[in-house]
Each structure stands twice: as C-alpha cells, then as structure tokens.
Amino acid sequence: MRELNSVQCVSGSSCTMRAKASDMHSKDCVKVAVRVRPFNKRERDAGSRCIISLVSTSISIQDPRDCHNRRSFCFDYAYWSHSGFTRDQTGLFVPKELGGRYADQHSVFQDLGVGILENALQGYNATLLAYGQTGSGKSYSMVGYGPNKGLVPKLCDRLFEAIGEHQENRQCQRTGFCSKCLLMCPQVFFSMLEIYNEQVVDLLSRGSRSAAGLRVREELQRGFYVEGLRKIPCENALQVEQLMEQGTRTRTTAATQMNANSSRSHMLIILQLKQIFSKESITKQSNINLVDLAGSERQRSSGSEADRLKEGTAINLSLTTLGNVISALADIAVGKKVVHIPYRDSVLTKLLQSALGGNSRTVMIATLSPADICYEESLSTLRYAERAKRIQNRAVVNESPTERLVKELKAENARLLQKLSRMDQEGRRATDESKELRQLLTQNELQIRAIQTLWEQHLQEALKDWEQQYANITQERRMMQMYPYILNINEDAQLSGVVKLFIQEGEWGIGLCDSAPRSISIKGLGIQEHHAVFRNEQRRVTLTPLTGSKVIVNGNAVYETAELQHLDRLILGSNCTYLFVGYPSERGGEDWGRYDYDYFQSELAAAEGIHLSESSTGCSQTDPSLLAVFYDYIQLMPMVAEANQMSQELSKGVEFKLEIKNLALSDSRGHDLQKDTVVRVTAAGSKQASVAQGVSLLSLCQKDVSVWMWSKAKFVNRKFLMEEVYQQFKAAQHEDNRVEGLPAVVLPRDKDPFWDPVEPLLLGTAHLWLQSLAFRIPLEEQLEVLGSEGTEEAILQAQLIPCTSTGLPLGEDDILIDPSEVLGRRLDFQLVLDQCCGVRWIREARNRGIQIGFRVFDCGELLYTPAVWHNINPLLDHRVQFTSLQTSQRLLDYLQSSAVVLELWGLQEGCSVLSSSLGAVRMTAEGIFIIDMLDPQAALSDSAELSCSVRALQQDLEKQKSLNESLRKENHSLREQLNTVKNGGDGVRGRSLRPSCDAEFARALKVFYHSMTSVRGQLQRLRRHRPSEESDLLGLRLFVDEQSRLLRDFSEQLEDSVSTLKQDIAAIVRRKRERSGIWS
C-alpha cells in the first residue's frame, strides 16, 4: 500500500525534502464525491420512483414534474449504492454480480480514505466533509453500521496497520530511533466534538459540561482551535473505536438533556498524527478532520411562510455560513473579486478555515436520496457540491516550529565549533571541541527522551481511562446477562441503543434525582425529580408513575402500576424513549431493529386515531399523499410534546396541538383537497398565563384566548427558537439557583417565539351545489359547515335564487327542462346567506366574530360578508347577484358539476377584518358581479376579426329592416285569419298545452331537487359516521347496526326520490298524450 510506504520512507533524504518544498505553494482543488443511497422504508411505502441516473462520474437528476427538465453534473467520484447489492453471510453489503456497479463501503474507502491517509502521513492536513439532507446516508458513509464500517473506522484501522508495520521494523529501542528511517514511533491523538447551537461540546470530557460550551480561540501559528479540547493518545484502532462509543454515549445523553436534535448538530472527529524525524530534528504534525455536517435541508428558510421571526438562528448559523464561505471561495476560483470570506461568522467555519481555501487537502462526499419526493433537496445538494469543487486550497507540509528552532540552535553550535577550532591552544581546543560535541549530543538525547517521556506520560494517563472503560464495558456485558434493562431509542439511528439502564432486584426510582441510593438518573424535558418507580420482584418488573409525571407504555398513557413485558416501549416525560428488554430467559430471536424511533411515534399516532389503515380508497396500498402526511405527523409529534413542556416550564400558557389540514374537506367539484400537517396554537391571555399541569386551555376563562394555525415549516422554525429561550432560562436558573416555575426569560412580544399577531382563521367549509341553477330552479338549504377534521363548526342557511336582471325572482314558468336552452342567453342569480346557527368558534369565546368567504366560477377574488361579532347565531342577511351576459358551455358545465365553497372564517379580538379586493372583479353599474367573461387574451386576439364582422353586419342590418317590415304585414293578416276560426276554444286549449306541460315538469323537478337535498345530507352523515376510538367489541357491533340503519334510510330516501320523479314524469307524459288526443 502507498500509505505504508509513506511511513517507511527515509524521511531524512534531502532530495525528498526539496521535492516537497517545491509543492508547498501548489494549489489543490477540493475533491468532491457523490453517493446515491437505496430507498428507505418511507420512500418504498410511498411508491417513490428513482429520478437520478449515473454514468461514470456524471450524474443526472430529472424533475419529477417535468420530464424534459433534466440537470447534469460532473464530479471527481460518483458512487451508485442505490441498487444491485446483496447481504452476505457476515452481514456485509456487496455487489450482486462480480464487477457490478454497486459501490460498497470498501470501494468508497479505497478512493477517498486511502488518499486522505496518504496526505496525512506525508505531513499534510486532510479533511473529509460529509454533506447532505437528513437521512441521505451521511452517517452510513462516515461511520457505517455493524460490519459495514464507514470511512472513519476504516481509516483508523489502516492508520494503525501502518504504525504497526513500522514498530516491527524498529531496532533501536533504547533511544527510540529507527535505524532504517530514523523515525520515532508516530503518535496519534484522538478528539471528538459536537457543534450545536453555536456551542462546542467536548464529547470525551471527563468533567461536567459547561453551559456555554468550549471557547474557540485563535493564534497566529495554530489558527483557530478549541480551548480545553481533550486530546487522548491512542495506540491501536480498538482504543479509537472505544473512544467513538464513549463520544456517542455522551452525545446521546447531551441531546436528551439539552433537547437537541442530532440532525441539527455537526460532529467533528480530529485525528492528530505526529511524526518525529530525529536526523533532521523536525516534527511533522498533520490533522485529519472528519466532519459529519448537520442535515442540509435545515438551512432553507421557511420561504412562502413569511414568518416574522427569521429562520437560521444560532442553531442554523454554522451551516448557512458554510454555504456562504463555499460560495465566496467558488467565486474567487472563477476570477470574481470577493471582498470578504465570512470564516469568522460561525464556529464551524472558524474550525474549517484551513479545510476550505487554506492549508489542507480536502474531500467532500455529498449523499443523495434518489426518490422523486426528495427532488428539491437532492438538487440543492448537487448544486452545493458543484460550487465546492471549485475551491482551491494551498496545502503545505506541517513542520513543528519548535523543531525548526532546535535546528537553528544546532547550526549556531556548529559555527561556535568552527571558532573554537581556530584558537591557538590546540590541546585545549581538542578537549573543548570534544566536550562541546558531547554536550550537544547529550542535549539532543535529552530532548528526544523528554519527547518520549511526554508521550509516555500521555499514554499512562490514558491507560487509566482505558482500564476504567474496559471495566465498565465488562460490567455492562455481565449485567446484560443478569438483569432486565431499558435501552434508549433515538431519532438518529447512530445514537440508539447506546444507553442501557439496568433494573436490578428491588425498588428503583427513576428521575432527575441522582442522590438517592437506589435511583436511576435521567435527564430530559418533562422529567420530574422523582418521575416513576420500577419494581423488580420475583422476575416480574412493574412501572408505577408518580404524581404529575408523564409515562406512556406502548403508545398509551399510564397512570397506575403496569407490568412490563419484553420489548415494551416506554416514553418518559416529553420524549425520552426507551425499549424495555426483559430477563435473558425472555429474549428470543426477535428483531429488535423494527422498534426504531418511527415505530414509537407511529404507536402514539395510532393511539390518537391517526394510522395508515384509514385509506379513503380502501385499497391495500396506502395513498402516497396520505403516507407523506402521516410521516409528517409522527415527525412533529415529539416536537409538539417538547414545545408544550417548554411552554409549561416557562409559564407561557401556550398549548400546541397537531391537526391534519383538509382531512375532511373537498374542492368545488367534490374532490379531496391536498392534505397537510399543521399545528394549532392556543394561548391564554396574561390573566391566565400560569397553567396548572393537566388542565386544558379550553377550560380557562375564554375571553382572553388567542388561536393561531402554524404550518409545519413555521412551527419547526419556532420550536428551535423556543429551545434557545428555554436553554437561556435553564442557564439562568442554574446560575441563580432559582425556584423552578418562576418566570426567568422576559422577551419583548415581537421577539417571543410563543407569540404571533392574531389573524383570521379558516374554521371550515360548506358546499352549496349549483345544479339547480342550470334549470333555473331556486334552492334553499341548511348546510353543515365542516371543520378540517370533519367536526361540525356551524349550520349555514343559504339560498340560490334565479332572477331577472333587476333582481326579481323567476317563477315556475321560467324553469327550463333542457339546460342547454340558456346557452348564449343572459343568466342572473342571487346567492343569499341568511344566517349561521350554533357557531362553535363563538360559543368557545364570546369576544370573537365570523365572516363567510366565497368565489363563484371565474370571479377573480374571494368575496366576504361583513363581519359579525359576539353572537352564536349571527344574522348575516347578505345577498349578492351574479350575471353572465352570454352564458357559455363552460359556465353551464360548471353549474351542473360544481358547488360554491362557502368558507367560514373566525375573527379574533385585535385581528383585521377580511375584505374583498374588487380590482380584479368586473361589475355592472347596478353593482352586479359579472362572471363567465372571455379571457382577456382571447378577446384581444379576436378584436380585429370582430371589427370586420361589425361592418358586414351593419350592411346586412338595412336589408333585414325592409324584410322585417314585409313579414310584419304578413303576420298581421295571418293573425286576423286565426281569430275567425270557429273552434277558437279548442285553439286556446292547444296553445296552452305546451306551457302547462312545462310547468308540470318544472314542479316535478323542483320536488326532486328538494328531496335530493335530504338524500345528500344523509350521505354526508354516513361519511362522517365512525366508531369511537375507545369502542370495544360490543361498541363495534352497535356501530355496525347503526351504520346498517343509516344505509337503509339512505337507500329508501334515494329510491323514494327517484320513484317519485319517475311517477311524476309518467303522469305528465300520459296527460300530454290524452290532451293531444283531444286536440286531434
């Protein structure tokens, strides 16, 4: 291997040194690799398709919404790990076919890891950055899982293999020199840190964690460094592996305690390699930085959400600044003038300054999801990586300044020896010369021994830690075979299964308290001082929640003692998740891997009635859109629980609740609306700011309650801002030793992430179907206004009244049998909103109001009724007239197949009233809204043709006038002849036959439409009729009986309506035939 040769080379060779010196000022571009991972479970369940293709080092991505939009990129390396693999007997993922395109972990290491190691052994700094969205495979590529080791462990293994081969060749043990290469044993130091919320956490620290984290300082020679970061000497790869496990354990505990999300944190592993070359008295010291960056999707702003509080606070600053640094360096590489590179704007970019545009040879691996639902994120990652590959670094061999000083002193000594040789006293000169030489050699030997002693001291100190850690691991493994325990489950799979809390025989309390003799100490949001009690008696383990604590077992809240079974799922506090592992005798061959973080949240969602089996189509495969909403829901559930806990501890009086937007709503044609996950935020006023635990906000005095509806993006942004406020509160509480529960963080209202200005809220919708207007039949209905989740928000009384241009209602004689008769003619109708009854929004708080919004056909703007306040049964009395000057087939189709969607908007005290913007709406002089207008572009294109037609029509007009005059005279003579007919009475009866039949048809249709209204209402009741979540077998039987009765009623009403219409039409036809017979 080349890197092994690097260790064994004769470093004292002057020609080698000159060759490397010539490279000191050469430029190295950042090398970029991309890797495409397989579909995960969510993507497979959603039926995702692959939108990424890869040929050699070129990668293409296709827009799933536009098959012609394809973007291509070219990188230094491209790895296809999406398909074409299998798992062998040892658990390794390998290509299915020999020479297949699948890139396994070994292939990635050979291309990237070996080069990084070679550079480090030559004395260069080396950096590996892993970039990509959360879940795209960064951690798998960097660390790996199980036998599929990632870049970090493989690099460590290979490094110590090289060192081991060097140690075998050492011959001078006394002085520490190697006779072949004059190289002392290389020294390796390991450090591991995490950056979260602009705070640096030493993951290997033995002391207590500082609330503010470690400080980043700068020195002229060292550049930026972390003050107080622990560097542990390592002699083999096993020690590095144990240190990584220790760091991961610390990271897990810190994440739980600080309520941190690992996808928002950056992890840095620093391997410092020190090589001492005695012949030249130099030390080559290189740093290998291995960086697992936070999820890239988090750096996007909320976009259209327009949150008044900016996203990208301290939690997000590092990744945002990294993007700015990369963009600036990429611009410099293409010749643009850049005034400032913002290295100092974040902790991460300070520590990576040498890796980006500085003294390092850097590789970036960008990981991608190939699923169509991740198109935006994958495209963003590819663009980011394309900019990064333009960056140019200036890497140099790092020689220790201390060793260069020694070299200069030795040169000075040589000059002194020359002076001594020219002195007159030759005997004394020789004696003095030999004495000086012996002193110089003694100094060199002492220096080397001092270096060796310092290294051995480091090893001795670390050895104590190794022994303690080995004893802990041995003790843990022994206890795993003796007692049951709870195992932590984390959102990040790397952090799951790290913490094991053993439940020995007897009674054990669990909570924040760690001073009691028989206690298990855990930290996290919502964890009480004394949270719950485990009892392990007669090989049976029970869990008893204490007063005021939150305990969930298998998705259900527990308030009394519960016996635990093997692989039960526990949630303590807001979101401390554990898997209970029973006695060894209870453990079989179960797959524990299925109980991941999503499993816990899915179980919670199912307990709330949200689960994937509720597919509206009844198909075995879940609707992908519903699946996306479900996964959003379970992703937000723990965040909502944490936000509620922070609100309670900060005495904010704010409650957060997840809802599914448009779950039971449809558009104007009855098609389901796109569903989304939103968060309903309810805040009590200042008088009710202190909320007792377990008391719903709705039970408070209702006059000071405000409600907001936040999108997922807005809530996620606010939640991280809440974390900052909460951490400030905890830090101040720790310093001042405050009593828990007292307000500690006072923010201006416009800076408070728990508050927003109140806005109107969409409470629900009702559908007023327009089919009767096509026949010019009036319609009067009582409509149920349904909320987003199918709850009844109000009853709305509405009318559709066909009318004349002056607003007078049409009579029965104006009803049409054939709707096409209205084509090309003027159509007028009025929409009347009479009253809302039983408005739940106002019933909850009397200081509220409502408005109704609606849009008809191509009306450009939503129209709103005037606001009505403080009344549960508000009288609206709102009438709007619409007209189509020349009814088109498009409008007729709309009337026959669509409804007016009436939106119920809730107003709150202090919010602005909704108003209609009439700029885009055409109206007549009488204030009638005009619909069914020609498209403006079409009208402009036809204007030339119309002008020509007008001239021709004007010429024909004169001819028609003369023709009409002659026809009028002829009609007058025919009318006189008809008046003289003897059977005039029969003629009158004949003339009235058609109008009479039309009126009878109209009355029959009117009866039919009214009866269909009740049928439609019965159908809506059937759709909303669902069993109770707490129903047992008897309850389900009662539900089935009730459902059967409702179905029978619906069937009977429908059959009666159709049968009545058939009978009426048959009677009308029979009477018409009879009258026709009399006429004949």
Short mmCIF file of all heavy atoms in Angstrom, two decimals, residues 922-950:
data_model
loop_
_atom_site.label_atom_id
_atom_site.label_comp_id
_atom_site.label_asym_id
_atom_site.label_seq_id
_atom_site.Cartn_x
_atom_site.Cartn_y
_atom_site.Cartn_z
N ARG A 922 -65.15 42.37 -12.32
CA ARG A 922 -65.98 43.24 -13.18
C ARG A 922 -67.39 43.31 -12.62
O ARG A 922 -67.96 42.30 -12.20
CB ARG A 922 -66.02 42.70 -14.61
CG ARG A 922 -64.75 42.98 -15.40
CD ARG A 922 -64.91 42.61 -16.85
NE ARG A 922 -66.01 43.33 -17.48
CZ ARG A 922 -66.43 43.10 -18.74
NH1 ARG A 922 -65.86 42.15 -19.46
NH2 ARG A 922 -67.43 43.79 -19.24
N MET A 923 -67.94 44.51 -12.64
CA MET A 923 -69.28 44.73 -12.11
C MET A 923 -70.06 45.63 -13.06
O MET A 923 -69.48 46.45 -13.78
CB MET A 923 -69.22 45.38 -10.72
CG MET A 923 -68.48 44.56 -9.68
SD MET A 923 -68.33 45.39 -8.09
CE MET A 923 -70.05 45.44 -7.59
N THR A 924 -71.39 45.48 -13.04
CA THR A 924 -72.25 46.37 -13.80
C THR A 924 -72.46 47.66 -13.01
O THR A 924 -72.06 47.77 -11.85
CB THR A 924 -73.61 45.71 -14.09
OG1 THR A 924 -74.30 45.52 -12.83
CG2 THR A 924 -73.42 44.35 -14.76
N ALA A 925 -73.10 48.61 -13.65
CA ALA A 925 -73.38 49.88 -12.97
C ALA A 925 -74.30 49.68 -11.77
O ALA A 925 -74.28 50.47 -10.82
CB ALA A 925 -73.99 50.87 -13.95
N GLU A 926 -75.10 48.62 -11.79
CA GLU A 926 -76.01 48.35 -10.68
C GLU A 926 -75.35 47.58 -9.55
O GLU A 926 -76.01 47.20 -8.57
CB GLU A 926 -77.23 47.56 -11.18
CG GLU A 926 -78.10 48.31 -12.18
CD GLU A 926 -77.52 48.25 -13.59
OE1 GLU A 926 -76.58 47.43 -13.82
OE2 GLU A 926 -77.96 49.04 -14.45
N GLY A 927 -74.06 47.27 -9.67
CA GLY A 927 -73.35 46.55 -8.62
C GLY A 927 -73.49 45.04 -8.72
O GLY A 927 -73.27 44.33 -7.74
N ILE A 928 -73.83 44.53 -9.89
CA ILE A 928 -73.95 43.09 -10.11
C ILE A 928 -72.60 42.55 -10.59
O ILE A 928 -71.97 43.13 -11.48
CB ILE A 928 -75.05 42.79 -11.15
CG1 ILE A 928 -76.40 43.35 -10.67
CG2 ILE A 928 -75.15 41.29 -11.41
CD1 ILE A 928 -77.49 43.26 -11.71
N PHE A 929 -72.16 41.44 -10.00
CA PHE A 929 -70.88 40.85 -10.37
C PHE A 929 -71.03 40.08 -11.69
O PHE A 929 -71.94 39.26 -11.83
CB PHE A 929 -70.38 39.91 -9.27
CG PHE A 929 -70.00 40.61 -8.00
CD1 PHE A 929 -70.90 40.75 -6.97
CD2 PHE A 929 -68.74 41.16 -7.87
CE1 PHE A 929 -70.56 41.42 -5.80
CE2 PHE A 929 -68.37 41.82 -6.71
CZ PHE A 929 -69.28 41.96 -5.67
N ILE A 930 -70.12 40.33 -12.61
CA ILE A 930 -70.16 39.70 -13.92
C ILE A 930 -69.23 38.49 -13.91
O ILE A 930 -68.05 38.60 -13.55
CB ILE A 930 -69.73 40.68 -15.03
CG1 ILE A 930 -70.64 41.92 -15.02
CG2 ILE A 930 -69.76 40.01 -16.39
CD1 ILE A 930 -70.22 42.99 -16.00
N ILE A 931 -69.75 37.35 -14.29
CA ILE A 931 -68.95 36.12 -14.42
C ILE A 931 -69.02 35.64 -15.85
O ILE A 931 -69.72 36.21 -16.68
CB ILE A 931 -69.45 35.02 -13.46
CG1 ILE A 931 -70.91 34.66 -13.76
CG2 ILE A 931 -69.27 35.44 -12.01
CD1 ILE A 931 -71.41 33.48 -12.96
N ASP A 932 -68.27 34.58 -16.14
CA ASP A 932 -68.27 33.96 -17.47
C ASP A 932 -67.84 34.96 -18.54
O ASP A 932 -68.47 35.11 -19.58
CB ASP A 932 -69.65 33.39 -17.79
CG ASP A 932 -69.60 32.42 -18.98
OD1 ASP A 932 -68.50 31.92 -19.27
OD2 ASP A 932 -70.64 32.21 -19.61
N MET A 933 -66.74 35.65 -18.25
CA MET A 933 -66.21 36.61 -19.22
C MET A 933 -65.18 35.92 -20.10
O MET A 933 -64.55 34.94 -19.71
CB MET A 933 -65.55 37.79 -18.50
CG MET A 933 -66.51 38.61 -17.66
SD MET A 933 -65.66 39.93 -16.79
CE MET A 933 -64.71 38.97 -15.61
N LEU A 934 -65.00 36.46 -21.31
CA LEU A 934 -63.97 35.94 -22.19
C LEU A 934 -62.60 36.21 -21.59
O LEU A 934 -62.39 37.22 -20.93
CB LEU A 934 -64.06 36.61 -23.57
CG LEU A 934 -65.13 36.08 -24.53
CD1 LEU A 934 -65.13 36.94 -25.78
CD2 LEU A 934 -64.87 34.63 -24.88
N ASP A 935 -61.70 35.32 -21.85
CA ASP A 935 -60.34 35.55 -21.42
C ASP A 935 -59.79 36.80 -22.10
O ASP A 935 -59.96 36.97 -23.31
CB ASP A 935 -59.48 34.33 -21.80
CG ASP A 935 -58.04 34.49 -21.35
OD1 ASP A 935 -57.83 34.67 -20.15
OD2 ASP A 935 -57.16 34.43 -22.22
N PRO A 936 -59.15 37.73 -21.38
CA PRO A 936 -58.67 38.97 -21.98
C PRO A 936 -57.75 38.75 -23.18
O PRO A 936 -57.84 39.47 -24.16
CB PRO A 936 -57.91 39.65 -20.83
CG PRO A 936 -58.51 39.09 -19.59
CD PRO A 936 -58.91 37.70 -19.93
N GLN A 937 -56.92 37.74 -23.12
CA GLN A 937 -56.01 37.50 -24.24
C GLN A 937 -56.79 37.05 -25.47
O GLN A 937 -56.51 37.47 -26.59
CB GLN A 937 -54.98 36.41 -23.83
CG GLN A 937 -54.08 36.82 -22.69
CD GLN A 937 -53.17 37.97 -23.07
OE1 GLN A 937 -52.83 38.13 -24.24
NE2 GLN A 937 -52.80 38.78 -22.09
N ALA A 938 -57.81 36.19 -25.21
CA ALA A 938 -58.62 35.74 -26.34
C ALA A 938 -59.40 36.90 -26.94
O ALA A 938 -59.58 37.00 -28.16
CB ALA A 938 -59.58 34.63 -25.88
N ALA A 939 -59.88 37.80 -26.08
CA ALA A 939 -60.63 38.96 -26.57
C ALA A 939 -59.75 39.85 -27.44
O ALA A 939 -60.18 40.36 -28.49
CB ALA A 939 -61.18 39.76 -25.39
N LEU A 940 -58.51 40.06 -27.06
CA LEU A 940 -57.61 40.89 -27.85
C LEU A 940 -57.31 40.26 -29.20
O LEU A 940 -57.26 40.94 -30.22
CB LEU A 940 -56.30 41.11 -27.07
CG LEU A 940 -56.40 42.03 -25.86
CD1 LEU A 940 -55.07 42.03 -25.11
CD2 LEU A 940 -56.74 43.45 -26.30
N SER A 941 -57.14 38.94 -29.21
CA SER A 941 -56.82 38.27 -30.47
C SER A 941 -57.99 38.29 -31.44
O SER A 941 -57.80 38.23 -32.66
CB SER A 941 -56.40 36.83 -30.19
OG SER A 941 -57.48 36.12 -29.63
N ASP A 942 -59.22 38.36 -30.90
CA ASP A 942 -60.41 38.36 -31.78
C ASP A 942 -60.86 39.76 -32.17
O ASP A 942 -61.82 39.91 -32.94
CB ASP A 942 -61.58 37.66 -31.06
CG ASP A 942 -61.28 36.19 -30.86
OD1 ASP A 942 -60.40 35.66 -31.57
OD2 ASP A 942 -61.92 35.58 -29.99
N SER A 943 -60.21 40.80 -31.63
CA SER A 943 -60.71 42.16 -31.86
C SER A 943 -60.67 42.55 -33.34
O SER A 943 -61.60 43.18 -33.86
CB SER A 943 -59.89 43.16 -31.04
OG SER A 943 -58.52 43.08 -31.40
N ALA A 944 -59.63 42.17 -34.06
CA ALA A 944 -59.52 42.53 -35.48
C ALA A 944 -60.62 41.86 -36.29
O ALA A 944 -61.26 42.48 -37.15
CB ALA A 944 -58.15 42.12 -36.01
N GLU A 945 -60.84 40.57 -35.96
CA GLU A 945 -61.89 39.84 -36.68
C GLU A 945 -63.26 40.42 -36.39
O GLU A 945 -64.11 40.51 -37.29
CB GLU A 945 -61.83 38.36 -36.28
CG GLU A 945 -62.83 37.48 -37.01
CD GLU A 945 -62.73 36.03 -36.57
OE1 GLU A 945 -61.77 35.70 -35.87
OE2 GLU A 945 -63.63 35.26 -36.93
N LEU A 946 -63.50 40.84 -35.15
CA LEU A 946 -64.80 41.40 -34.79
C LEU A 946 -65.07 42.72 -35.51
O LEU A 946 -66.20 43.00 -35.93
CB LEU A 946 -64.86 41.61 -33.27
CG LEU A 946 -64.97 40.33 -32.44
CD1 LEU A 946 -64.85 40.66 -30.95
CD2 LEU A 946 -66.30 39.63 -32.71
N SER A 947 -64.04 43.55 -35.66
CA SER A 947 -64.24 44.84 -36.33
C SER A 947 -64.68 44.65 -37.77
O SER A 947 -65.51 45.40 -38.29
CB SER A 947 -62.95 45.66 -36.26
OG SER A 947 -61.89 44.97 -36.92
N CYS A 948 -64.11 43.64 -38.43
CA CYS A 948 -64.53 43.35 -39.81
C CYS A 948 -65.97 42.85 -39.85
O CYS A 948 -66.76 43.19 -40.75
CB CYS A 948 -63.61 42.31 -40.44
SG CYS A 948 -61.91 42.87 -40.62
N SER A 949 -66.32 42.04 -38.85
CA SER A 949 -67.68 41.50 -38.81
C SER A 949 -68.71 42.59 -38.58
O SER A 949 -69.83 42.54 -39.11
CB SER A 949 -67.79 40.44 -37.71
OG SER A 949 -66.87 39.40 -37.94
N VAL A 950 -68.34 43.60 -37.78
CA VAL A 950 -69.28 44.68 -37.49
C VAL A 950 -69.67 45.42 -38.77
O VAL A 950 -70.85 45.76 -39.00
CB VAL A 950 -68.66 45.65 -36.47
CG1 VAL A 950 -69.48 46.93 -36.37
CG2 VAL A 950 -68.60 44.97 -35.11
#
